[in-house]
Amino acid sequence: MKNAWKRPYTGYYLRLCLVFSLLLQMFGFVSEAQAEESGGSGSPLPSVSITFDVYSNISQANLEAGGGLSMSNVSLDSAVYRGNSGKSIKIGGRTQPYNRLKITHAFDGLDMQAGKHYDISVWAKVGASSSVTNGYFFLSVVTYPGTKQPSDPPYYFDTTNYKFLVGQDGWTKLTLPYLATGDPVYGIAVEQIGSGSWTQTVPVFHIDDVEIAEVPPPTSKHITYDDATSIQNANIGVGGGQALWNLSLDNTVVHGVYGGKSVHIAGRTELYNRVKINDAFTGLDATPGTQYNLSLYARVDSTSPVKAGYFHLSVIDIDGTLTNTGYYNDRANYRALVTDQDWVQITLPYTIGVDPVYGIAIEQMSLPGYTDVVGKLYIDDVEVVKTGVTTEIPPSRIPPKAMQAVVDGKPVVYLNGKPETKNSIPYLQLPKTFATLRADVSWNEQTLTATAVKDGRTSQITAGESIAQVNGSNVALAGSAYLKDGVLMVPAHFVADALEATVSWNAEDKIVTIVSKKANLIQVDKNTVQQEIWGFGATANDPVYDFMSIDTTTQQLLLDKFFGMEDDEAGLNIVRLEINPFTKSDPDPRNAFQASIEPTPGVWDFDTDIHQRWFADQAISRNPTMRFAASVWSPPAWMKDNASAIRGGHLKPEHYDDFAEYLLTWAKKYKEDYGYDVNWLSIQNEPEALMDYASAIYTGPEMSSVVSTVYEAFKMDGIDVGIGAPEGGHLGSSFKLLNQMDSAVIQKLDYIATHFYAWDTYDVYNYDLRKFNKPLFMMEYSMPDPNDSTIEGGLAVADQISAALEQGYSSYLYWWFVTKPTAATSGVSRQSLVDLKLDGTYTINKRLYTMGQFSRFIRPGDRNVKADSGNSYVTVTAAKNTATNKAALVAANRSSEPITVTINGMTGTSVAVYRTSGTENIASIGNYTTGGGSFEYTLAPKSVTTFVE
């Protein structure tokens, strides 16, 4: 993205600062940071000037070498300088363009608070003895001291707009504008860049007269996307359910006549799907009362089914998810009808208030005649222009702070019994808070008493009482416990007494902070047997079509990685299939090969789904006991009220029986004819989501009716396939649909299906699906962009699996096994366990290996057993084979430090140890003697370790 700063200021300030600097040059290093104190509108802004005239040796000049340059090749030169007299710095012995010289302490004495603008300049000249006479040079801001370490940030530079051709004939001024971020800076650097015809390294050059001058903030900002290489570096965000992966850069439809790129937005299914320009105000004057006019250009994609809609701009003045209020807008007066005919400018005047601003958003609104959602849209040329200043400051729109609880660094979301203060005492609900701290909580409705047990401590507290019991001893409370929304509220500091946690209360910010007691103890209780484990896996769907045709050696290697049981193979044992809805005549080739077995009423065509069946056969060849789950993305179009397999629509009631027969026919074909062990069939994938891909919408009553119809058809046939629903995209949407469904119908389900999108660790407590008394199946999750391919992403998935199994889930499936090929240079992992690239290469994301730490050693038919960790950085899962009583324990250490734990309850005489870390993939660490059921082991930093009896 290009931020083109429009600078209305003249050189007046810089000239005035230069006069002061020249008067003080005799000191070599001059700071004018106190100049502002003289007052008056004409006061010069602070600046620093550095010359090298008074130095007697190079060690006095505060210089450092970098990029392989040696300071032995840096010297003072009294024969070459800028001006009438003095010295310059001579840099010789250069063999690489990145041999750089650093001018340290260049910012000393200046105020580097965020938002300050500086112009940096250095004069440069190629040495007369240089064998290369010209080269492009540029400036950088040094953001870390010394030699770069892996964790250090890159230097700041802008070689697109600020590189300069330096020669031998005269001095050239190198410049760089810099917006302070508030982070430390350590100086500036000068180095070369190969560009155009000038690609050879200049071996000798000189620099002189360094200056850093504060300048007024710009009064406008123009953002284009011409120089952006990806949506990520364009600093574009999304909200309102808009998917970031549906955004792209487009160089074919651009505002203006000079070419470039625009942002293409696809996959819009709701009016409130919004796109955010995150840095629209960055660097501009944010003083309250400053007035701006905001604008951008928009145009509907000609291929969008809906060709026109009203759009408006908003100012993002809330940091986070919108709840009861929206961003600032004035859509009653400032909206624009955007069509596919031409670009339209959308504007909004805005006055900076006391609230911070984070950017600009564009979204659609409904007006008579324009109520449909525009599916595809372009935006370009964003401008923010200062129009004036007012003394009428807008009041804050931020609602009063809600009280919050943070447990081990993670905010806890309470759906009911929300935190509050009474008589200045902070209260938290007991069930959710104690559960997040891994305590076992029970409730006696008759006596209104809660009991919590953890690590050998038993606490009891009763509504209306100000005395609790901890291990039989009375503990005085700061206030009486009481009921709210049907749950018990207790003083927050009771958590410290009951669970030996550290509790603090920030009354100003209304935050209760709880840090659990860190006991490096893992306790496995093989006698407390819980749910049966069904297995682990991922989804096939359309990407395996591309996977079929890649290089055979790579293909077979990756299939072994998925399903094999040796070395670093993951041993996945469930494949999820899509029950395809399209027709072979679909104009989209990708839809056409995902054809339905019943494209028209009563017409059956089983010559389809070649890609998924090929993949299923490959999986079975590696594991003959492979199991299969199936999900419907949409009924065939002829069964729906919108006559389409995409964009939602409802299954028509008159086709409920047809749909049941359709699913039964599919299940019998795949189970009996193809030999696939189809154990689970879900009525509908994400029934709350109207999408541009295959989708269908169900209300709770509709889902009840369809489940009953399908259940009766399958029961009458006697086929052994479990029926599941509702498979919402988020635990909250599944919870909502289940509460809308007929309770008698829910009991007909063989399992409850859900996805884990918008995941928060504590969601499993907020939306506890165990209340419906059915087995639980997590059928889909893909982490938010960018899908982290490293051990960090692997640990996130491991923690999610651990939380799911702890809360009674029998299965866990990631989204895709593989993605269709992406650009070879793509840095974004795309929703899968393995990412395929156009050049034939691939990336195996660490999440495959951390899943393998579970799926290789916790096998179908095992039973989850109780396992607890006393350290919140370590999450644990355990399961056992009931026939042998042998267990497997999975421990994930999120800490960047090793943690030595004591493990109790593994009763075998020894355990085999396997580990995935940043450098290991299900690596066999060897056998470890347990010492009769209790042993110590050091968990490596950022790792997942499995112990197998």
Side-chain angles (χ1 to χ4, degrees):
M1 178 181 61
K2 181 193 298 179
N3 292 337
W5 298 102
K6 296 181 177 176
R7 293 194 173 89
Y9 51 83
T10 67
Y12 169 75
Y13 288 123
L14 296 182
R15 290 196 300 272
L16 189 56
C17 291
L18 184 58
V19 170
F20 279 93
S21 299
L22 291 173
L23 290 174
L24 298 173
Q25 270 189 14
M26 68 185 69
F27 297 106
F29 184 96
V30 182
S31 172
E32 296 182 358
Q34 292 79 33
E36 286 180 308
E37 297 178 4
S38 61
S41 59
S43 299
L45 293 173
S47 68
V48 165
S49 291
I50 303 173
T51 69
F52 307 100
D53 302 343
V54 298
Y55 298 134
S56 58
N57 61 69
I58 198 67
S59 63
Q60 300 173 346
N62 288 317
L63 303 175
E64 289 182 5
L69 180 69
S70 172
M71 279 301 295
S72 63
N73 289 321
V74 180
S75 60
L76 292 168
D77 193 319
S78 58
V80 179
Y81 47 81
R82 182 173 173 270
N84 296 324
S85 63
K87 299 173 184 173
S88 69
I89 298 295
K90 180 180 179 180
I91 302 101
R94 298 181 73 253
T95 60
Q96 300 292 338
Y98 49 77
N99 293 157
R100 69 183 69 92
L101 184 70
K102 294 184 275 189
I103 304 154
T104 59
H105 305 290
F107 291 95
D108 285 7
L110 296 174
D111 182 358
M112 299 308 294
Q113 68 174 319
K116 292 282 188 179
H117 288 256
Y118 290 93
D119 272 353
I120 306 167
S121 63
V122 176
W123 292 85
K125 181 180 181 180
V126 174
S129 62
S130 176
S131 57
V132 178
T133 59
N134 293 79
Y136 278 95
F137 287 80
F138 68 96
L139 301 180
S140 306
V141 174
V142 179
T143 52
Y144 55 85
T147 304
K148 179 174 174 57
Q149 301 300 319
S151 59
D152 288 328
Y155 290 170
Y156 170 79
F157 55 86
D158 181 4
T159 52
T160 301
N161 300 298
Y162 295 93
K163 63 177 185 287
F164 303 88
L165 185 62
V166 179
Q168 293 177 322
D169 294 337
W171 289 91
T172 300
K173 189 177 185 180
L174 316 180
T175 65
L176 177 69
Y178 179 66
L179 172 66
T181 64
D183 294 329
V185 289
Y186 299 93
I188 59 177
V190 185
E191 64 184 289
Q192 189 179 348
I193 183 173
S195 182
S197 301
W198 307 102
T199 58
Q200 291 182 286
T201 301
V202 172
V204 183
F205 76 99
H206 299 261
I207 64 167
D208 202 356
D209 289 340
V210 180
E211 185 167 33
I212 303 178
E214 184 180 342
V215 294
T219 59
S220 65
K221 188 174 185 179
H222 179 204
I223 301 174
T224 72
Y225 303 97
D226 302 344
D227 297 323
T229 58
S230 69
I231 285 295
Q232 283 67 36
N233 71 22
N235 204 12
I236 292 286
V238 292
Q242 175 67 49
L244 186 63
W245 57 77
N246 283 327
L247 271 60
S248 60
L249 298 170
D250 192 293
N251 60 7
T252 61
V253 181
V254 184
H255 178 252
V257 296
Y258 299 108
K261 298 174 187 173
S262 66
V263 173
H264 184 239
I265 307 158
R268 299 189 72 255
T269 59
E270 303 288 351
L271 295 171
Y272 50 77
N273 292 159
R274 66 185 69 92
V275 171
K276 305 174 187 178
I277 297 92
N278 292 325
D279 66 346
F281 289 95
T282 302
L284 297 175
D285 187 354
T287 305
T290 307
Q291 297 170 309
Y292 288 99
N293 188 62
L294 321 176
S295 66
L296 63 74
Y297 283 86
R299 181 175 184 171
V300 174
D301 186 336
S302 61
T303 66
S304 175
V306 177
K307 305 295 186 184
Y310 275 93
F311 287 81
H312 67 90
L313 300 183
S314 302
V315 174
I316 304 172
D317 53 4
I318 297 167
D319 185 16
T321 304
L322 298 179
T323 51
N324 298 324
T325 184
Y327 300 145
Y328 170 83
N329 66 76
D330 184 6
R331 61 184 189 176
N333 299 301
Y334 293 91
R335 60 178 184 253
L337 179 62
V338 181
T339 72
D340 64 342
Q341 296 303 302
D342 204 352
W343 290 92
V344 174
Q345 188 179 40
I346 310 171
T347 63
L348 175 68
Y350 181 70
T351 301
I352 300 287
V354 296
D355 297 333
V357 290
Y358 302 96
I360 299 172
I362 176 174
E363 61 187 288
Q364 192 177 350
M365 61 184 293
S366 177
L367 285 176
Y370 297 95
T371 59
D372 292 334
V373 177
V374 172
K376 300 177 183 178
L377 183 75
Y378 298 93
I379 62 171
D380 202 355
D381 282 336
V382 181
E383 278 200 302
V384 182
V385 180
K386 183 177 179 180
T387 57
V389 179
T390 180
T391 57
E392 298 180 4
I393 310 300
S396 175
R397 294 188 342 104
I398 299 176
K401 290 180 181 177
M403 186 172 158
Q404 189 177 27
V406 176
V407 174
D408 288 332
K410 295 181 180 179
V412 183
V413 178
Y414 298 89
L415 299 184
N416 61 345
K418 295 186 178 183
E420 63 185 5
T421 58
K422 279 198 172 186
N423 301 320
S424 300
I425 301 169
Y427 276 81
L428 302 174
Q429 64 147 293
L430 185 144
K432 173 75 178 292
T433 308
F434 278 50
T436 61
L437 288 157
R438 300 297 195 266
D440 292 324
V441 179
S442 59
W443 174 247
N444 188 317
E445 186 65 41
Q446 283 68 43
T447 62
L448 303 182
T449 299
T451 301
V453 179
K454 182 184 179 184
D455 295 339
R457 291 175 70 86
T458 300
S459 306
Q460 287 190 321
I461 185 168
T462 301
E465 298 292 333
S466 59
I467 300 291
Q469 288 77 43
V470 177
N471 282 349
S473 299
N474 288 344
V475 174
L477 304 178
S480 297
Y482 61 92
L483 291 176
K484 175 186 177 183
D485 299 336
V487 295
L488 187 66
M489 305 291 291
V490 298
H493 285 86
F494 177 61
V495 178
D497 296 310
L499 304 179
E500 298 183 289
T502 301
V503 180
S504 59
W505 165 237
N506 184 322
E508 181 179 356
D509 293 332
K510 295 185 176 181
I511 297 176
V512 175
T513 300
I514 302 173
V515 179
S516 64
K517 178 184 177 182
K518 300 297 189 294
N520 292 336
L521 176 68
I522 295 173
Q523 185 68 48
V524 178
D525 180 4
K526 293 186 356 181
N527 293 321
T528 303
V529 179
Q530 299 168 336
Q531 79 274 15
E532 180 184 343
I533 301 298
W534 292 347
F536 307 87
T539 305
N541 282 37
D542 62 297
V544 299
Y545 180 85
D546 304 283
F547 188 48
M548 278 197 307
S549 58
I550 70 169
D551 169 67
T552 302
T553 301
T554 299
Q555 178 196 92
Q556 295 302 306
L557 181 149
L558 293 177
L559 286 164
D560 289 341
K561 296 283 188 188
F562 293 140
F563 304 118
M565 292 287 287
E566 304 291 335
D567 300 323
D568 61 353
E569 297 166 350
L572 299 176
N573 43 62
I574 297 178
V575 175
R576 180 171 172 239
L577 304 173
E578 176 179 3
I579 300 178
N580 294 311
F582 297 104
T583 65
K584 292 179 178 178
S585 60
D586 194 293
D588 184 337
R590 201 151 198 97
N591 291 343
F593 69 71
Q594 300 178 81
S596 167
I597 61 171
E598 191 179 11
T600 57
V603 175
W604 299 93
D605 181 0
F606 298 105
D607 183 22
T608 184
D609 203 19
I610 303 301
H611 56 299
Q612 290 195 122
R613 287 163 49 197
W614 168 83
F615 189 78
D617 292 339
Q618 293 290 325
I620 291 172
S621 72
R622 288 160 174 82
N623 178 4
T625 63
M626 187 65 58
R627 294 171 155 191
F628 295 86
S631 292
V632 177
W633 262 253
S634 170
W638 61 269
M639 296 185 187
K640 295 171 63 182
D641 60 5
N642 69 344
S644 173
I646 66 171
R647 292 195 54 76
H650 296 254
L651 178 64
K652 291 182 178 181
E654 60 265 32
H655 289 308
Y656 285 179
D657 288 333
D658 294 325
F659 183 59
E661 182 186 3
Y662 170 74
L663 295 184
L664 180 60
T665 303
W666 185 94
K668 289 173 72 68
K669 185 71 175 179
Y670 278 67
K671 192 175 182 74
E672 298 173 3
D673 292 355
Y674 297 151
Y676 302 155
D677 187 10
V678 180
N679 282 64
W680 308 277
L681 190 151
S682 174
I683 297 295
Q684 174 61 45
N685 172 79
E686 298 182 357
E688 77 283 10
L690 185 156
M691 304 302 289
D692 278 341
Y693 51 75
S695 54
I697 303 296
Y698 288 83
T699 64
E702 287 174 332
M703 182 64 74
S704 293
S705 298
V706 173
V707 166
S708 285
T709 304
V710 174
Y711 169 81
E712 294 300 331
F714 275 59
K715 182 179 179 182
M716 184 176 297
D717 183 86
I719 189 172
D720 184 20
V721 176
I723 302 300
E727 204 184 336
H730 174 255
L731 275 163
S733 56
S734 294
F735 194 79
K736 179 180 178 181
L737 274 166
L738 286 163
N739 281 318
Q740 293 173 347
M741 290 174 64
D742 187 312
S743 58
V745 173
I746 291 174
Q747 293 311 305
K748 295 179 180 181
L749 291 173
D750 294 290
Y751 66 98
I752 287 173
T754 189
H755 297 176
F756 273 4
Y757 287 104
W759 168 259
D760 181 275
T761 304
Y762 302 140
D763 280 347
V764 289
Y765 305 107
N766 274 327
Y767 309 104
D768 191 346
L769 302 187
R770 291 175 296 181
K771 65 173 279 189
F772 298 102
N773 297 312
K774 287 290 176 181
L776 304 178
F777 196 136
M778 205 300 287
M779 300 194 77
E780 181 180 323
Y781 175 74
S782 175
M783 64 182 60
D785 274 346
N787 291 285
D788 190 342
S789 63
T790 71
I791 189 61
E792 293 288 352
L795 283 166
V797 169
D799 282 350
Q800 194 178 80
I801 295 173
S802 182
L805 296 184
E806 180 188 4
Q807 294 301 303
Y809 286 78
S810 290
S811 292
Y812 181 96
L813 307 185
Y814 202 74
W815 178 209
W816 284 331
F817 281 97
V818 296
T819 49
K820 61 184 179 182
T822 57
T825 57
S826 174
V828 180
S829 302
R830 298 296 296 167
Q831 312 175 54
S832 61
L833 300 176
V834 173
D835 301 321
L836 304 178
K837 305 297 176 65
L838 288 175
D839 64 357
T841 62
Y842 57 87
T843 299
I844 300 178
N845 297 307
K846 278 287 183 180
R847 64 186 81 110
L848 172 60
Y849 298 120
T850 56
M851 282 188 72
Q853 294 285 148
F854 294 84
S855 56
R856 269 273 296 278
F857 311 107
I858 298 177
R859 302 300 292 173
D862 288 353
R863 299 294 291 266
N864 205 58
V865 298
K866 184 174 175 58
D868 294 302
S869 169
N871 188 324
S872 60
Y873 286 111
V874 178
T875 56
V876 295
T877 297
K880 75 172 185 177
N881 181 310
T882 55
T884 65
N885 202 41
K886 291 184 178 181
L889 167 69
V890 185
N893 176 18
R894 297 194 311 274
S895 172
S896 57
E897 301 294 330
I899 297 178
T900 300
V901 295
T902 298
I903 300 174
N904 292 333
M906 299 289 281
T907 57
T909 57
S910 67
V911 290
V913 182
Y914 300 85
R915 184 167 63 219
T916 293
S917 65
T919 58
E920 299 162 304
N921 301 320
I922 321 181
S924 175
I925 308 302
N927 291 330
Y928 202 89
T929 302
T930 64
S934 180
F935 63 101
E936 279 193 353
Y937 192 87
T938 299
L939 301 173
K942 302 284 186 183
S943 67
V944 183
T945 306
T946 305
F947 305 88
V948 185
E949 290 183 335

